[in-house]
């Protein structure tokens, strides 16, 4: 009886479930249909009327205008120009990476082949203004086009320039980045020996600038300094990996930590053998999350979501990040605090609060003579604390108790604001030089912070504004109490990272590699590392000594996402004595040490190698052919040295490749391939179509585009961090504004060479290329198959 009742009961549930499911489906279909009509995607009549189904963007916010008029951030008589500029689209800007050997040569090529063609070009009756260099950026390495990025894609006359920017950005020779986003790294003044921390680094354009500055001295194989790039968002760290790895630097490390409780990093003490010391940084960049109203020209949603409360919500977070950055700064070092917000609650109030609490340990640096052609306004020494109704609170005592959880005492102007020299802060307004908005403050640490003296907690501080602790002097004023880091380590979501295992002096993998490529004993092989403990070691990375010491002594403290440049990849071939081949990424670091497997080519040889797939050895010039045959099968490093008497502006070109039984091939990414061909005088526009497809018949070392479309990496991973650091004032949490395709690109993150290292652009194969073999006869096809290395 019990079993029968149970069966009847189950059947009843099943019948009810089917009924509710059908009702739910009908309701869902109805709601989806109505939603589609509202958006104008299904109803053609509505779509025509609304120009694609999307309502026009209203670039206005009355509360925004009233608030900033009251704050007085815009000089008198310039308000109308300020607001009208905010309602215009932001022009496109890009910069040429300064540390690359070919920077000046690429700049000359850009001027002669692309910019000169844009003189007096008209589109729909409008004359396109010729691109011009940003007057304040050094050496004409940053350029601006008074067109939006979408216009550049759509205008046929700019198609060649668009394709150029795509491929050169892929190879790391160009970075498309908003103009004002370039300012903080320049004011940080990084030198090759500096220890640099970027505490809120994703997606990585400013980090890229810092890396370039480390490599400013071309006489060094790699600098002794380094950059630690941190972000609290695990997924965005992998976007940053892609950005940083284009620069092929062994001096950068990407970590995933909460910036407000950044752990203490320990390194060996050079002065006391066998002892450890706390690592302090020479330069710290705090480009903090903010309300992002300086990005209104490109982030149109800010017009709608802007509120006075945004600044109130983000102020405590910004203070904690800046405080922790100051704690990790070396005495005598510099710190740059920056936001893409106009709000003094997020800007001067944060800086002023730190200066007041530091009691002279931190000072604002006068940067009025730096970047002399940059137009700016001075920081405010007085501002207003207003609520959403526009009511002003003259001081903290007049703030109602119910509002004190949101409005903090540190948000008010310090009584000694003039003594703190807050006017030394920099605010960039959009109408001054047709840019976005930005705030920058450069601080210097003159002595130890008062709360980090002997016997006190040296961890981050958190201001407890709600406490009633009185001053020791008995003046009745409340004093900030400082709390150390939480007792429990914060749990970070994301991938479980594989360990970093460094080579030992007697590493068994190293002797065959060293012998095959003729690498001397002086090469620091203990700075090589792998990312797997068991099984075949598929990829060997390289870092400089400073990064090695940080990783080796802090793996239990730091969540390290990525570090090191790929130097060798496994390539098992029965006819070759070495199981590893060279990589293009590590060629610049390794070239000074390699004495074997070098082949010196002519320009025509380079063009043949990069425009044909597996060209026969007999197609090379006689001298190159002899060198190739003498080296035998296996990995090669092809070198082209232009004649300095005829082309003094040209630089050495290095291409990593492979020598098979009867042919050779290159292991070069698509972006690097186009770049090298341009330097050799080849018009690559004849080799690619409108979608920047691969060169016909050319082999590559990686997927033709990590994101599946020719320009997604740079159009959709927005290269200025300002857009990415948008705080969500509604729920009080850090809510980074990122493009949808940025998140899509995360789903395409690949596993690095099968080792479990998640890294979008590091999976390397040689068989993913779309081969054009239709014109080859059977013998040629057999020859190609026989010559392929077994990877």
């Amino acid at each position: 009886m019990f079993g029968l009742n149970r069966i009847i009961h189950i059947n009843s549930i099943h019948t009810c479930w089917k009924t509710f499911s059908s009702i739910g489906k009908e309701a869902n279909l109805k709601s989806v249909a109505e939603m589609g009509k509202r958006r104008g995607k299904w109803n053609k009549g509505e779509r025509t009327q609304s120009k694609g189904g999307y309502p026009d963007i209203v670039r206005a916010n009355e509360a925004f205008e009233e608030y900033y008029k009251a704050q007085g951030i815009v000089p008198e008589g310039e308000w109308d120009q300020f607001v009208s500029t905010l309602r215009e689209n932001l022009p496109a800007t890009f910069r040429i990476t300064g540390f690359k050997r070919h920077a000046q040569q690429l700049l000359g090529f850009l001027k002669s082949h692309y910019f000169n063609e844009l003189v007096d070009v008209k589109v729909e009756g409008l004359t396109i203004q010729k691109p011009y260099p940003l007057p304040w950026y050094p050496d004409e390495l940053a350029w601006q086009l008074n067109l939006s990025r979408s216009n550049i894609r759509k205008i046929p006359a700019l198609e060649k320039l668009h394709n150029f920017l795509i491929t050169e950005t892929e190879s790391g020779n160009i970075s498309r980045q908003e103009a004002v986003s370039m300012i903080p790294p320049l004011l940080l003044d990084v030198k090759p020996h500096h220890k640099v921390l970027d505490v809120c680094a994703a997606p990585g354009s400013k980090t890229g600038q810092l890396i370039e500055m480390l490599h400013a001295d071309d006489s060094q194989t790699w600098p002794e300094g380094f950059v630690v790039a941190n972000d609290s968002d695990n997924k965005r760290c992998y976007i940053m990996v892609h950005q940083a790895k284009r620069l092929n630097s062994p001096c950068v490390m990407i970590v995933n930590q909460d910036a407000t409780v950044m752990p203490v990093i320990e390194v060996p003490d050079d002065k006391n053998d066998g002892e450890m010391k706390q690592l302090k940084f020479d330069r710290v960049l705090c480009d903090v999350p903010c309300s992002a109203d300086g990005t209104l020209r490109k982030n149109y949603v800010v017009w709608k979501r802007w509120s006075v409360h945004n600044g109130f919500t983000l102020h405590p977070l910004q203070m904690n990040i800046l405080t922790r950055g100051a704690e990790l700064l070396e005495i005598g070092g510099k710190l740059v605090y920056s936001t893409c917000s106009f709000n003094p609650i997020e800007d001067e109030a944060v800086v002023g609060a730190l200066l007041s609490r530091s009691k002279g340990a931190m000072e604002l640096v006068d940067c009025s003579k730096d970047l002399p052609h940059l137009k700016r306004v001075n920081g405010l020494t007085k501002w207003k604390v207003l609520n959403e109704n526009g009511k002003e609170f003259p001081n903290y005592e007049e703030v109602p108790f119910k509002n004190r959880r949101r409005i903090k005492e540190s948000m008010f102007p310090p009584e000694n604001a003039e003594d703190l020299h807050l006017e030394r802060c920099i605010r960039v307004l959009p109408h001054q030089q047709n840019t976005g908005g930005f705030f920058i403050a450069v601080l210097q640490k003159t002595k130890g912070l008062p709360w980090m003296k002997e016997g006190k907690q040296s961890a981050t501080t958190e201001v407890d504004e709600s406490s009633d602790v009185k001053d020791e002097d008995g003046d009745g004023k409340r004093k900030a109490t400082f709390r150390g880091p939480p007792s429990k380590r914060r749990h970070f979501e994301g991938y479980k990272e594989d360990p970093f295992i460094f080579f030992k002096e007697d590493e068994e993998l190293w002797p065959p590699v060293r012998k095959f490529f003729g690498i001397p004993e002086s090469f620091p092989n203990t700075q090589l590392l792998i990312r797997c403990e068991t099984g075949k070691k598929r990829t060997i990375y390289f870092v400089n000594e400073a990064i090695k010491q940080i990783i080796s002594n802090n793996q239990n403290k730091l969540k390290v996402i990525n570090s090191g440049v790929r130097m060798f990849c496994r390539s098992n071939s029965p006819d070759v004595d070495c199981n590893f081949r060279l990589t293009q990424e590590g060629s610049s670091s390794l070239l000074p040490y390699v004495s074997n497997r070098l082949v010196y080519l002519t320009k025509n040889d380079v063009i043949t190698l990069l425009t044909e797939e597996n060209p026969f050895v007999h197609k090379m010039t006689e001298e190159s052919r002899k060198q190739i045959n003498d080296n035998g099968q296996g990995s090669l490093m092809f070198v082209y040295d232009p004649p300095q008497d005829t082309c003094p502006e040209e630089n050495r070109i290095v291409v990593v490749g492979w020598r098979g039984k009867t042919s050779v091939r290159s292991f070069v990414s698509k972006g690097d391939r186009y770049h090298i061909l341009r330097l050799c005088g080849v018009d690559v526009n004849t080799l690619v179509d409108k979608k920047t497809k691969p060169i016909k018949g050319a082999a590559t070392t990686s997927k033709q585009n990590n994101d599946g479309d020719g320009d997604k990496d740079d159009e959709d991973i927005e290269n200025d961090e300002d857009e990415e650091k948008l705080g969500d004032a509604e729920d009080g949490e850090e809510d980074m504004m990122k493009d949808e395709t940025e998140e899509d690109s995360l789903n395409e993150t690949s596993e690095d060479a099968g080792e479990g290292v998640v890294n979008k652009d590091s999976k390397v194969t040689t068989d993913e290329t779309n081969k054009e073999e239709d014109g080859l006869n059977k013998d040629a096809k057999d020859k190609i198959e026989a010559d392929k290395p077994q990877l």
Side-chain angles (χ1 to χ4, degrees):
M1 187 66 181
F2 174 76
L4 180 61
N5 288 337
R6 186 175 182 181
I7 293 172
I8 293 172
H9 181 64
I10 293 173
N11 287 336
S12 300
I13 294 175
H14 181 66
T15 303
C16 293
W17 176 254
K18 290 178 65 178
T19 303
F20 284 121
S21 297
S22 62
I23 293 173
K25 288 180 181 178
E26 291 176 2
N28 287 338
L29 289 173
K30 184 176 180 181
S31 62
V32 170
E34 290 177 351
M35 180 177 63
K37 289 179 181 179
R38 286 196 302 270
R39 292 182 179 178
K41 293 183 178 180
W42 291 0
N43 189 309
K44 294 183 179 179
E46 292 181 13
R47 182 172 184 174
T48 302
Q49 294 174 6
S50 59
K51 298 181 181 179
Y54 295 97
D56 292 335
I57 299 169
V58 179
R59 304 189 188 189
N61 187 307
E62 185 177 351
F64 169 87
E65 295 190 31
E66 290 179 356
Y67 181 81
Y68 283 117
K69 277 184 178 178
Q71 296 293 2
I73 64 168
V74 180
E76 187 176 354
E78 299 181 18
W79 178 260
D80 291 340
Q81 187 181 0
F82 168 73
V83 174
S84 63
T85 304
L86 284 177
R87 292 171 179 157
E88 298 173 356
N89 290 332
L90 186 71
T93 51
F94 64 89
R95 59 183 176 81
I96 300 173
T97 53
F99 82 89
K100 291 285 187 178
R101 292 189 303 254
H102 309 124
Q104 291 301 324
Q105 186 180 354
L106 184 62
L107 175 60
F109 181 89
L110 187 63
K111 290 180 179 179
S112 59
H113 287 75
Y114 294 97
F115 292 165
N116 291 339
E117 295 181 1
L118 297 179
V119 178
D120 298 330
V121 174
K122 292 187 177 182
V123 177
E124 298 179 356
L126 298 176
T127 302
I128 298 177
Q129 184 179 353
K130 184 179 178 181
Y132 59 90
L134 297 178
W136 45 267
Y137 201 94
D139 303 324
E140 290 190 347
L141 293 179
W143 290 73
Q144 178 163 313
L145 296 82
N146 285 336
L147 294 167
S148 67
R149 292 191 306 159
S150 60
N151 288 335
I152 294 176
R153 292 195 298 265
K154 295 176 182 177
I155 298 175
L158 298 176
E159 180 182 359
K160 290 173 63 177
L161 176 60
H162 182 227
N163 290 338
F164 171 84
L165 294 177
I166 293 170
T167 56
E168 291 297 336
T169 305
E170 284 182 14
S171 62
N173 297 298
I174 278 180
S175 180
R176 284 188 276 180
Q177 178 182 357
E178 186 181 345
V180 289
S181 177
M182 305 175 192
I183 300 173
L186 292 178
L187 294 177
L188 203 54
D189 190 28
V190 172
K191 303 299 181 184
H193 64 278
H194 281 158
K195 301 180 286 288
V196 186
L197 172 64
D198 190 351
V199 295
C200 302
S205 63
K206 294 184 183 69
T207 303
Q209 277 184 274
L210 299 175
I211 297 171
E212 293 167 26
M213 294 175 182
L214 280 182
H215 290 263
D217 186 359
D218 290 336
S219 63
Q220 294 180 328
T221 306
W222 56 79
E224 62 178 288
F226 59 87
V227 173
V228 175
N230 173 70
D231 201 88
S232 62
D233 190 305
N234 182 267
K235 292 182 179 180
R236 288 164 56 80
C237 284
Y238 293 103
I239 298 176
M240 187 160 51
V241 169
H242 173 73
Q243 292 284 77
K245 287 185 76 67
R246 295 181 307 160
L247 301 175
N248 301 328
S249 171
C251 310
V252 59
M253 181 174 67
I254 296 171
V255 299
N256 178 206
Q257 302 287 156
D258 182 351
T260 62
V261 287
M262 189 79 180
V264 173
I265 299 175
E266 293 185 338
V267 293
D269 189 347
D270 297 334
K271 297 180 180 179
N272 299 306
D273 191 25
E275 295 187 9
M276 305 295 289
K277 67 176 181 179
Q278 179 181 348
L279 173 65
K280 292 295 185 72
F281 294 89
D282 302 304
R283 298 289 186 268
V284 175
L285 175 59
C286 296
D287 186 50
V288 300
C290 64
S291 59
D293 52 21
T295 67
L296 284 167
R297 300 183 67 182
K298 60 180 181 181
N299 291 338
Y300 312 126
V301 69
V302 180
W303 283 107
K304 182 178 180 179
R305 67 184 295 180
W306 188 92
S307 169
V308 172
H309 292 302
N310 296 358
F312 294 155
T313 303
L314 289 163
H315 174 90
L317 173 66
Q318 293 162 340
M319 277 206 60
N320 286 337
I321 294 175
L322 177 59
T323 300
R324 188 56 181 151
E327 291 173 349
L328 296 174
L329 184 66
E330 184 67 85
I331 295 176
K334 285 185 180 180
L335 180 150
V336 167
Y337 174 83
S338 62
T339 74
C340 49
S341 171
F342 300 119
N343 197 342
I345 303 298
E346 303 176 61
D347 299 339
E348 286 93 343
V350 175
V351 175
L354 176 66
L355 293 175
S356 297
R357 291 165 53 193
S358 65
K359 298 180 180 179
M362 300 292 294
E363 295 180 354
L364 273 169
V365 178
D366 184 4
C367 299
S368 58
K369 296 183 179 179
D370 297 329
L371 308 180
H373 298 289
L374 174 67
K375 295 181 181 179
R376 67 197 90 176
V377 295
N378 294 334
L380 303 176
T381 55
K382 294 183 179 180
W383 56 88
K384 298 179 180 179
V385 178
L386 307 170
N387 66 9
E388 66 276 10
N389 298 321
K391 179 182 177 181
E392 180 183 357
F393 299 109
N395 51 61
Y396 184 70
E397 284 68 25
E398 296 192 25
V399 177
F401 184 78
K402 64 179 181 180
N403 294 335
R404 292 191 179 187
R405 287 177 60 87
R406 181 177 292 271
I407 301 177
K408 307 294 184 181
E409 186 175 8
S410 57
M411 297 177 183
F412 290 82
E415 296 179 357
N416 59 337
E418 294 184 358
D419 296 334
L420 300 178
H421 298 291
L422 290 178
E423 73 280 355
R424 292 178 178 176
C425 298
I426 297 172
R427 181 173 277 106
V428 179
L429 302 177
H431 67 284
Q432 293 176 311
Q433 287 180 303
N434 196 16
T435 64
F438 223 76
F439 173 86
I440 310 105
V442 182
L443 300 99
Q444 188 165 19
K445 191 172 185 178
T446 59
K447 58 183 179 181
L449 298 172
W451 60 89
M452 293 184 69
K453 291 183 180 179
E454 254 184 81
K456 293 194 176 182
Q457 177 61 261
S458 62
T460 189
T461 61
E462 183 177 340
V463 181
D464 186 357
E465 297 280 2
S466 61
S467 65
D468 293 325
V469 178
K470 297 188 183 228
D471 191 3
E472 295 176 357
D473 297 332
D475 60 3
K477 293 184 180 179
R478 294 188 306 112
K479 191 174 182 179
T481 58
F482 301 99
R483 299 184 300 190
S487 57
K488 293 184 179 180
R489 185 178 300 173
R490 176 178 171 181
H491 173 71
F492 286 96
E493 297 181 356
Y495 302 98
K496 182 179 179 181
E497 299 299 327
D498 287 336
F500 291 76
I501 304 172
F502 285 92
F503 276 21
K504 299 178 181 178
E505 289 289 351
D506 57 349
E507 177 64 45
E508 61 179 2
L509 290 178
W510 180 239
V513 176
R514 185 180 66 81
K515 180 180 178 181
F516 188 74
F517 294 105
I519 302 174
E521 295 286 350
S522 59
F523 179 81
N525 59 292
T526 55
Q527 292 169 213
L528 295 169
L529 65 95
I530 52 178
R531 296 293 304 273
C532 59
E533 295 180 288
T534 60
K536 286 187 176 181
K537 311 305 185 288
R538 301 180 62 89
T539 306
I540 300 175
Y541 302 87
F542 179 79
V543 298
N544 71 353
E545 177 63 22
I547 293 290
K548 176 194 171 182
Q549 294 299 337
I550 293 175
I551 295 176
S552 300
N553 295 286
N554 298 273
Q555 288 207 52
N556 294 329
K557 289 184 178 181
L558 288 174
K559 183 176 180 181
V560 182
I561 300 297
N562 188 277
S563 186
V565 59
R566 290 189 325 121
M567 191 160 279
F568 301 99
C569 281
R570 182 171 289 276
S571 178
N572 294 327
S573 179
D575 300 322
V576 180
D577 295 334
C578 181
N579 290 332
F580 287 88
R581 66 170 180 86
L582 303 169
T583 66
Q584 186 68 22
E585 298 97 311
S587 60
S588 60
S589 298
L590 190 61
L591 179 60
Y593 294 94
V594 173
S595 59
N596 296 340
R597 314 299 298 176
L598 291 173
V599 175
Y600 293 88
L601 303 180
T602 65
K603 180 184 288 189
N604 289 336
D605 290 331
V606 175
I607 295 173
T608 301
L609 183 65
L610 297 181
T611 55
E612 296 186 23
E613 180 180 5
N614 291 34
F616 287 103
V617 176
H618 67 73
K619 289 189 175 183
M620 300 293 177
T621 59
E622 181 178 355
E623 184 178 350
S624 300
R625 189 164 59 244
K626 183 179 183 305
Q627 296 178 68
I628 293 172
N629 291 330
D630 290 343
N631 276 286
Q633 295 185 55
S635 183
L636 294 174
M637 190 177 287
F638 299 102
V639 181
Y640 167 56
D641 286 315
Q644 294 300 305
D645 54 340
T646 58
C647 303
E649 74 282 358
E650 294 187 8
N651 295 275
R652 168 173 282 188
I653 293 173
V654 179
V655 176
V656 167
W658 184 271
R659 197 267 199 210
K661 292 181 180 179
T662 59
S663 65
V664 291
R665 70 180 303 165
S666 62
F667 290 135
V668 181
S669 68
K670 180 185 67 176
D672 283 334
R673 185 182 301 274
Y674 291 154
H675 173 72
I676 295 171
L677 288 174
R678 285 191 182 100
L679 297 182
C680 291
V682 177
D683 183 7
V684 298
N685 293 291
T686 62
L687 304 173
V688 298
D689 64 12
K690 295 180 181 180
K691 296 294 184 182
T692 62
K693 290 181 179 178
I695 299 174
K696 184 176 181 180
T700 67
T701 63
S702 62
K703 291 181 180 179
Q704 292 307 318
N705 190 295
N706 291 320
D707 296 329
D709 123 357
D711 60 345
K712 185 171 286 189
D713 286 344
D714 306 293
E715 292 293 338
D716 301 322
I717 299 178
E718 176 60 24
N719 275 343
D720 60 5
E721 291 111 329
D722 321 318
E723 175 182 350
E724 309 301 336
K725 300 186 180 298
L726 184 67
D728 189 342
E730 295 178 359
D731 57 11
E733 295 181 356
E734 213 175 313
D735 177 20
M736 304 299 187
M737 176 174 288
K738 46 186 175 284
D739 295 337
E740 292 180 0
T741 47
E742 222 175 48
E743 296 183 3
D744 294 340
S745 67
L746 292 169
N747 298 328
E748 300 177 30
T749 303
S750 60
E751 187 175 300
D752 184 8
E755 295 182 352
V757 181
V758 180
N759 181 344
K760 288 176 49 182
D761 60 343
S762 58
K763 184 174 181 180
V764 177
T765 69
T766 57
D767 300 324
E768 296 174 354
T769 313
N770 296 324
K771 298 181 176 62
E772 301 289 338
E773 297 182 352
D774 295 340
L776 299 177
N777 57 34
K778 185 176 183 303
D779 293 337
K781 290 183 180 179
D782 293 341
K783 180 269 303 182
I784 290 175
E785 293 299 324
D787 286 345
K788 286 182 182 177
Q790 301 299 314
L791 300 185

